[in-house]
Amino acid sequence: MDTAIGGYNYGDIPASPVSLEELQLLKQTVDLTDADIAWLRRAGDVLEDQTAQVVGAWREVIAANPHLARYYWSREGVPDENYKARVARRFQQWILDVCRRSYDRPWLDYQHEIGARHTHLKKNMADAANAVPHIPLRYVIAFTAVINGRVKPFLAAKGASVADAEAMHGAWCKATLLHVALWSRPYVSESDW
Amino acid sequence: MDTAIGGYNYGDIPASPVSLEELQLLKQTVDLTDADIAWLRRAGDVLEDQTAQVVGAWREVIAANPHLARYYWSREGVPDENYKARVARRFQQWILDVCRRSYDRPWLDYQHEIGARHTHLKKNMADAANAVPHIPLRYVIAFTAVINGRVKPFLAAKGASVADAEAMHGAWCKATLLHVALWSRPYVSESDW
């Protein structure tokens, strides 16, 4: 655990209401195989020293869209650079967590925390920020297209063949949709989720 | 409009509560460009006579997972083959709609209808079925990984180059996440969505 990352409380947060059995069924729903896990590990090695650039590629889309960028701004429209920088470091760490973490109970708990940090339940709190307090669920889901599309060129680095990069990307896309499914939990009632 | 498809009521359903302005911002959030629209049209031509096989590839994952297959079953666990067959035909048509429809007001309205048909609000109704009445949001989101992953080989048909298939797939993945973002609307409160 890299305690130098502000607000990165992996292993030290409340339990997710999601059970390990529900997690297992979600893994099956995205069709995450053992081979995919191995490709994610490989992707971690490929992306390890590119995480700042990957986050930069994602944030190009955010920066070009005020309806997205505003979640780093105060309600009055003033960008909070400190908040944005702290989130960027966690976003970078998230890339490595997607690739390298065991998807176990501590990981499951942390996904619920990440989901809640997009909502009025917990947004801004880890950073004592005063930004717009809630990101609508539709943007969390829709932005996955950018997360998945724009990571792809970075997977073709470090001598990965086209087929290897393809396999890493396939595993990555399954993994991110697993994440987003878990992040949606704080947005909906237990019976609808 | 193909009126031969049972329960396919495109153009003849209630208005979505989502505005065209909200749709525009969602298109920007998935980064859907004019070039992507052109690639979707091309994908429509490539997939046109393969839609049954594509749905079959998706349903392999459903069939292998009782926690997914049960949404075609009665509460007592009896598969409803008529319902399943009707849904399959609409699922096939959906592939072509993703690729060929203008994402305008009638399309937006129909996405809300599709979303609602996954929930206790409208599931089963178009088919007078008696199946399990609600598909949890987490499975709708997570299964997008299968929808996107398993369509890919079919895009490499009809002489499409590797680069062409790649571009079609990139556009497809943006489009499906736009769809799922809209389908999530009936699951959440207006202020959270």
Side-chain angles (χ1 to χ4, degrees):
Chain A
M1 195 184 317
D2 184 348
T3 50
I5 302 176
Y8 179 65
N9 306 119
Y10 199 98
D12 183 29
I13 34 98
S16 167
V18 179
S19 71
L20 287 172
E21 187 185 17
E22 288 170 323
L23 172 60
Q24 175 56 35
L25 294 180
L26 272 178
K27 285 182 189 170
Q28 292 171 217
T29 307
V30 299
D31 197 24
L32 190 75
T33 65
D34 290 343
D36 290 318
I37 299 291
W39 285 115
L40 285 172
R41 299 288 182 269
R42 172 86 183 277
D45 295 341
V46 173
L47 296 175
E48 187 171 41
D49 56 10
Q50 303 185 86
T51 59
Q53 291 89 329
V54 173
V55 171
W58 294 334
R59 281 192 160 173
E60 274 181 19
V61 177
I62 296 175
N65 285 284
H67 75 283
L68 300 176
R70 66 189 286 267
Y71 298 106
Y72 295 127
W73 303 348
S74 74
R75 290 177 187 77
E76 295 73 34
V78 181
D80 185 334
E81 296 299 341
N82 179 57
Y83 174 49
K84 196 173 153 190
R86 285 171 62 94
V87 171
R89 286 216 57 199
R90 295 201 298 273
F91 215 173
Q92 288 180 241
Q93 179 61 40
W94 175 75
I95 295 170
L96 300 179
D97 285 353
V98 169
C99 296
R100 294 176 166 172
R101 292 283 188 187
S102 292
Y103 294 177
D104 55 11
R105 169 50 67 185
W107 176 87
L108 183 61
D109 294 342
Y110 204 62
Q111 300 322 306
H112 195 69
E113 176 75 10
I114 293 177
R117 287 184 183 188
H118 288 78
T119 76
H120 49 73
L121 295 171
K122 289 206 167 179
K123 188 170 180 291
N124 298 331
M125 287 184 195
D127 306 292
N130 189 27
V132 176
H134 183 84
I135 303 176
L137 177 62
R138 64 186 185 274
Y139 294 148
V140 175
I141 295 172
F143 196 70
T144 315
V146 172
I147 296 284
N148 289 346
R150 297 211 166 201
V151 79
K152 193 158 191 185
F154 297 95
L155 292 168
K158 295 196 184 172
S161 70
V162 171
D164 288 353
E166 193 67 29
M168 284 186 268
H169 190 246
W172 170 274
C173 292
K174 293 178 180 186
T176 56
L177 279 159
L178 175 64
H179 283 74
V180 173
L182 291 166
W183 295 350
S184 74
R185 177 67 186 82
Y187 285 90
V188 296
S189 69
E190 183 175 357
S191 60
D192 279 352
W193 184 72
Chain B
M1 197 184 317
D2 185 347
T3 52
I5 302 175
Y8 179 65
N9 305 121
Y10 198 98
D12 182 30
I13 33 99
S16 167
V18 179
S19 71
L20 287 172
E21 186 186 18
E22 289 170 324
L23 172 59
Q24 176 56 35
L25 295 179
L26 272 178
K27 285 182 189 171
Q28 292 172 216
T29 306
V30 299
D31 197 24
L32 191 74
T33 64
D34 290 343
D36 290 317
I37 299 292
W39 285 115
L40 285 171
R41 300 288 182 269
R42 172 86 185 277
D45 295 341
V46 172
L47 296 175
E48 186 172 41
D49 57 8
Q50 302 186 87
T51 59
Q53 291 89 328
V54 173
V55 171
W58 292 335
R59 281 192 162 174
E60 274 182 20
V61 177
I62 296 174
N65 285 284
H67 75 281
L68 300 176
R70 67 189 286 266
Y71 299 106
Y72 295 127
W73 303 348
S74 74
R75 290 178 188 75
E76 294 74 33
V78 181
D80 184 334
E81 295 299 341
N82 179 57
Y83 173 50
K84 197 174 152 188
R86 286 170 61 94
V87 171
R89 287 217 55 200
R90 295 201 297 273
F91 216 172
Q92 288 180 242
Q93 178 61 39
W94 174 75
I95 295 170
L96 300 180
D97 285 353
V98 169
C99 296
R100 293 175 167 173
R101 292 282 188 187
S102 292
Y103 294 176
D104 54 11
R105 169 50 67 186
W107 175 88
L108 183 62
D109 294 342
Y110 204 62
Q111 300 321 307
H112 195 70
E113 176 76 10
I114 293 177
R117 288 184 183 188
H118 288 78
T119 76
H120 49 73
L121 295 172
K122 289 208 167 178
K123 188 172 179 290
N124 298 331
M125 289 184 192
D127 306 291
N130 189 27
V132 176
H134 183 83
I135 303 177
L137 177 62
R138 65 187 184 273
Y139 294 149
V140 175
I141 295 172
F143 196 70
T144 315
V146 172
I147 295 286
N148 288 347
R150 296 211 165 201
V151 80
K152 192 157 191 186
F154 296 96
L155 292 168
K158 297 197 182 170
S161 70
V162 171
D164 289 353
E166 193 67 27
M168 285 186 267
H169 190 247
W172 170 274
C173 292
K174 293 178 181 185
T176 56
L177 280 159
L178 175 63
H179 283 74
V180 173
L182 291 167
W183 296 349
S184 73
R185 176 67 186 84
Y187 285 91
V188 296
S189 69
E190 184 175 356
S191 61
D192 279 352
W193 184 72

